[in-house]
Amino acid sequence: MLRVTDSVPAEGGAPLAGPADPAGWLTLPDVAERLDLPISKVHQMIRDRELVAVRRDGVRRIPADLVANRTVLKHLPGVLTLLADAGYDDEAALRWLYEPDDTLAGGTPAAALGGDQAREVKRRAQALGF
């Protein structure tokens, strides 16, 4: 069952990013356009844990950097499955992906997924289940 968090209002037009949030967000129609897919396929990708979506300011959004170069980051679905198996809901998975970590290239697990340390991120996500 897909778990989506409650709406978190943006205060006074403030940016949606926070300490453990990505810098940019895409709405589901934006993701569909970027991936050249129907919106129903984007919904299916979220249900299948190929993407993570959370509510921000009442709208379901996906971190923009997880949808790079017209594709979803290669290792993201595996990491999301590992986090779900460890009991993480969508909001907790998002926090984990964007938690600052100086030992990873890019400074967060999400940034490292796009580079050479993707396997290390998967290993760390797997270790959370034990």
Side-chain angles (χ1 to χ4, degrees):
M1 180 173 155
L2 179 66
R3 290 178 276 189
V4 180
T5 60
D6 291 330
S7 175
V8 178
E11 308 248 345
L16 295 171
D21 275 348
W25 295 94
L26 296 171
T27 62
L28 301 192
D30 292 338
V31 172
E33 184 177 325
R34 185 177 280 197
L35 297 177
D36 194 27
L37 296 171
I39 190 75
S40 60
K41 177 62 177 164
V42 174
H43 287 278
Q44 184 66 43
M45 292 173 78
I46 294 167
R47 282 191 300 274
D48 292 344
R49 297 197 189 286
E50 295 175 34
L51 285 171
V52 62
V54 295
R55 288 200 186 272
R56 292 291 187 266
D57 200 24
V59 177
R60 290 176 75 189
R61 299 175 190 266
I62 294 173
D65 53 350
L66 299 181
V67 184
N69 301 322
R70 303 183 93 53
T71 62
V72 175
L73 290 181
K74 179 180 177 181
H75 297 281
L76 180 64
V79 170
L80 291 175
T81 298
L82 290 167
L83 292 173
D85 290 349
Y88 283 60
D89 65 8
D90 292 342
E91 190 71 43
L94 181 84
R95 277 194 306 275
W96 187 85
L97 284 168
Y98 288 94
E99 188 67 33
D101 186 337
D102 293 336
T103 65
L104 293 171
T108 66
L113 276 178
D116 294 337
Q117 288 188 308
R119 288 188 180 169
E120 174 62 15
V121 173
K122 286 176 80 171
R123 187 195 64 72
R124 292 180 187 191
Q126 185 175 27
L128 295 172
F130 294 100

